[in-house]
Amino acid sequence: MDRGVMIGLEIHLQVNTVKTKMFCRCSSDYRSALPNTNICPVCLGLPGSLPVPNKAVIRKAIMLAIALGSRVVDRIVFVRKHYFYPDLPKGYQISQHRGPGMAPIAVGGGLEIEGEGEPRIIRIRRLGIEEDPARITYPYGDPLKSPYSLIDYNRSGVPLIEVVTEPDIRSSREARVFLEKLLTLADHLGITNPDLEGAFRVDVNISLENQERVEVKNIGSIRDIEKAINYEIARQRGIVAGGGKIKRETRHWDPLRGATFVSRHKEYEEEYRYFPDPDLPPIAVSAEVVKEIEDGMPELPWHMAERYVREYSLSRYAARVLVSRRALAELFERTVKIYGDPDKVADLLINDFLGVVNSRGGNFQLVRATPESIAKLLSLMDKGVISIKIAKMILERVVIGGEDPEEIVAREGLLVISSDKELEELAEKVIRENPKAVEDARRNPKAINYLVGQVMKLTRGRADPQKISEIIRRKIGLER
Ligand code: ADP
Ligand code: ZN
Ligand code: MG
């Protein structure tokens, strides 16, 4: 932590859990559709079209505000934020802002993060809704080297919830912890599916003591946010150490070079010419509606973690890891219901299951395991039916392939033969067919290994040799 550093984040959470866009009924799924197929006059900004707000998104934004302890306004006002760029056909983005006659959905509140010392509160400045602009792609990656650009308006009008923090963050590590906690919250509240590419984008504001702040725009991964912060702190320190002053400017992050660079144009607040959108009448939010939304909210992840410690006697660490994704928490609780033993379930999920998921980019959409299949896998290991090695080998196929562990083990002959009767019959057969070896074994106990080997061969390795040895010894009269 660094007292001289101040960092404030503007986080754009994409509400990718609703079916339609923010102000029209076009599908919000722009990832799988062909470019410019989910479009209409509203999201193309054609003259005469009229936006209609998506109520489900407003409810989700209010939910997030409640979870963050923010104060929800009683009158939602949408504003026009003007700028000129091909990704914005109307010439303005429908957004929210503070100012005369304007107010975002909620102000205030905060999120507690575990700092390096005492937990600290990162205060929330405001929370609002806006629409995503279109997606521009440059055929050669770099805009300056591309002879043309392609615009996909499928993303135009996809809902975003913007969360703006106070400049309370002191380091790249704190920024990461804060963002992870916010994303976990958004996942639990059904606002954002973090597995989807472009699920969030962050503008990072960084300043040193008594210096102007620099805004680094539009970073899409937590790792890059950490790197950009570290880069900026070092860059700004260098300038100050050399007797220079930091200019107030907007920069961009280049993940390939690992550096920030100045963008082509500066944006001043005044240039956006915010004013209430006359096409969208203010929406009244009554205390009853807020109460109703609050009553319908799912358990918050930090309450869930506390309950795991209380109810399942898990460590705080284990509880926190398990609630980090809603899908993981659900898998945990449902597996415990079937199998019992929360410690063993938590251990398998945290150490083995997550290992598999993380080796595939931490993408939970790839997970096909069910509580039943995880419970079966645990039971197979318990009974010594399969070895740890085999459990690890089939884990991938259970987690990603969605296969039933019992079926894999049975089909591929991995199951230990536990029936004594079956083993005794095999032993008798081997004794009958190898009279000479039996004679040898009676004289020299070491020679029994040959007979054990013959039985193991018949079981294709699915038996405990110690147990076979005991059976044979008994049968040839070496033991009673
Ligand atoms: P608003 O639009 O409400 O005026 P700003 O645009 O001033 O808010 O702030 C945007 C972001 O910049 C916020 O996340 C805020 O915390 C951050 N910020 C403001 N001042 C500083 C500063 N001195 N150093 C770092 N970040 C700052
Ligand atoms: Zn549309
Ligand atoms: Mg701003």
Side-chain angles (χ1 to χ4, degrees):
M1 181 155 123
D2 192 328
R3 299 224 161 265
V5 176
M6 293 203 333
I7 301 165
L9 304 176
E10 299 172 64
I11 303 111
H12 302 91
L13 298 167
Q14 196 178 56
V15 188
N16 52 25
T17 52
V18 290
K19 293 210 159 53
T20 57
K21 293 185 181 179
M22 188 58 217
F23 296 109
C24 61
R25 311 209 37 192
C26 292
S27 166
S28 58
D29 178 14
Y30 64 89
R31 291 177 181 82
S32 52
L34 282 169
N36 299 309
T37 52
N38 291 337
I39 51 174
C40 75
V42 172
C43 53
L44 284 180
L46 299 186
S49 64
L50 283 174
V52 177
N54 185 331
K55 203 163 139 190
V57 178
I58 296 177
R59 293 178 74 92
K60 283 175 193 279
I62 292 175
M63 223 188 244
L64 183 61
I66 294 169
L68 292 171
S70 308
R71 190 157 32 80
V72 179
V73 292
D74 49 17
R75 197 165 161 275
I76 296 172
V77 176
F78 288 106
V79 308
R80 294 182 175 184
K81 176 181 180 175
H82 297 81
Y83 68 89
F84 182 72
Y85 210 62
D87 65 2
L88 197 66
K90 295 194 291 293
Y92 61 86
Q93 179 187 26
I94 304 176
S95 179
Q96 295 199 288
H97 200 63
R98 259 203 282 204
M102 300 183 270
I105 275 200
V107 291
L111 201 54
E112 189 182 271
I113 59 165
E114 309 263 338
E116 267 138 36
E118 291 286 289
R120 300 201 316 112
I121 305 270
I122 306 303
R123 291 168 301 156
I124 304 297
R125 186 175 277 196
R126 59 188 151 89
L127 185 155
I129 293 175
E130 60 185 22
E131 52 177 347
D132 218 348
R135 187 161 59 164
I136 305 186
T137 46
Y138 303 99
Y140 303 135
D142 184 339
L144 297 176
K145 292 199 184 108
S146 303
Y148 59 90
S149 52
L150 296 166
I151 309 175
D152 180 6
Y153 288 103
N154 283 354
R155 202 181 70 182
S156 174
V158 166
L160 302 175
I161 294 177
E162 185 192 37
V163 178
V164 181
T165 77
E166 295 289 345
D168 290 344
I169 295 165
R170 299 281 171 266
S171 65
S172 58
R173 200 197 71 91
E174 284 194 355
R176 171 172 54 78
V177 174
F178 175 85
L179 284 167
E180 282 171 352
K181 190 162 181 180
L182 185 68
L183 287 171
T184 288
L185 178 61
D187 176 33
H188 278 258
L189 295 179
I191 289 171
T192 298
N193 176 354
D195 292 327
L196 296 177
E197 173 276 318
F200 69 98
R201 267 162 284 155
V202 178
D203 301 338
V204 185
N205 294 271
I206 308 163
S207 71
L208 300 180
E209 217 164 9
N210 302 320
Q211 295 290 333
E212 291 282 1
R213 72 175 147 108
V214 168
E215 180 169 11
V216 186
K217 283 254 180 218
N218 233 348
I219 318 180
S221 87
I222 292 184
R223 281 205 55 113
D224 281 324
I225 289 163
E226 284 186 273
K227 286 189 205 159
I229 289 174
N230 292 337
Y231 178 88
E232 267 306 303
I233 292 174
R235 187 187 70 83
Q236 294 181 25
R237 283 237 172 88
I239 292 172
V240 173
K245 270 192 159 336
I246 307 299
K247 284 201 302 280
R248 166 99 183 244
E249 64 187 2
T250 301
R251 299 176 76 91
H252 287 263
W253 171 246
D254 181 344
L256 295 179
R257 284 196 301 135
T260 63
F261 61 95
V262 189
S263 37
R264 281 149 294 168
H265 55 92
K266 278 186 189 169
E267 289 149 355
Y268 294 99
E269 289 285 288
E270 303 81 64
E271 285 177 1
Y272 289 134
R273 292 174 293 128
Y274 291 103
F275 65 81
D277 190 326
D279 287 344
L280 287 155
I283 301 168
V285 185
S286 66
E288 289 77 53
V289 166
V290 175
K291 176 78 170 58
E292 183 227 305
I293 292 172
E294 185 167 8
D295 290 345
M297 268 166 64
E299 186 179 23
L300 297 179
W302 44 89
H303 293 151
M304 200 178 255
E306 283 167 17
R307 180 167 60 79
Y308 283 10
V309 171
R310 223 173 37 237
E311 211 169 279
Y312 302 118
S313 308
L314 296 182
S315 70
R316 273 162 47 86
Y317 167 78
R320 218 178 315 142
V321 174
L322 290 171
V323 306
S324 65
R325 287 298 303 265
R326 182 157 130 177
L328 182 60
E330 274 169 12
L331 186 58
F332 168 72
E333 294 207 52
R334 290 173 57 200
T335 306
V336 169
K337 277 217 180 76
I338 299 170
Y339 175 79
D341 204 335
D343 261 338
K344 273 198 188 160
V345 177
D347 186 60
L348 181 92
L349 289 180
I350 292 171
N351 297 317
D352 305 305
F353 171 90
L354 271 187
V356 171
V357 178
N358 289 337
S359 74
R360 296 179 178 242
N363 188 346
F364 273 77
Q365 287 190 306
L366 300 174
V367 172
R368 296 280 173 278
T370 61
E372 289 75 20
S373 66
I374 298 289
K376 281 182 184 176
L377 187 65
L378 282 162
S379 301
L380 288 171
M381 292 200 291
D382 278 350
K383 295 179 198 143
V385 170
I386 54 172
S387 62
I388 298 289
K389 188 163 179 281
I390 286 184
K392 296 227 165 158
M393 181 191 94
I394 67 172
L395 187 67
E396 179 103 8
R397 290 162 61 186
V398 174
V399 174
I400 306 293
E403 292 184 59
D404 181 319
E406 284 177 359
E407 278 173 23
I408 300 176
V409 163
R411 191 171 57 235
E412 293 173 24
L414 305 169
L415 201 67
V416 166
I417 296 175
S418 51
S419 146
D420 282 358
K421 191 163 163 285
E422 196 176 339
L423 290 179
E424 296 208 10
E425 279 168 13
L426 293 173
E428 279 163 17
K429 179 170 154 47
V430 167
I431 290 167
R432 232 180 7 252
E433 290 169 2
N434 296 279
K436 176 132 189 350
V438 171
E439 279 312 307
D440 289 349
R442 284 204 175 106
R443 266 180 273 120
N444 172 14
K446 273 196 178 152
I448 202 166
N449 289 342
Y450 173 78
L451 296 167
V452 173
Q454 291 304 304
V455 177
M456 283 298 283
K457 214 160 149 187
L458 291 176
T459 67
R460 285 181 292 119
R462 295 169 303 148
D464 175 6
Q466 187 61 39
K467 192 167 175 184
I468 295 174
S469 173
E470 278 161 23
I471 292 174
I472 294 174
R473 285 159 159 288
R474 194 155 22 86
K475 295 227 178 270
I476 64 176
L478 285 179
E479 269 167 34
R480 275 178 298 128

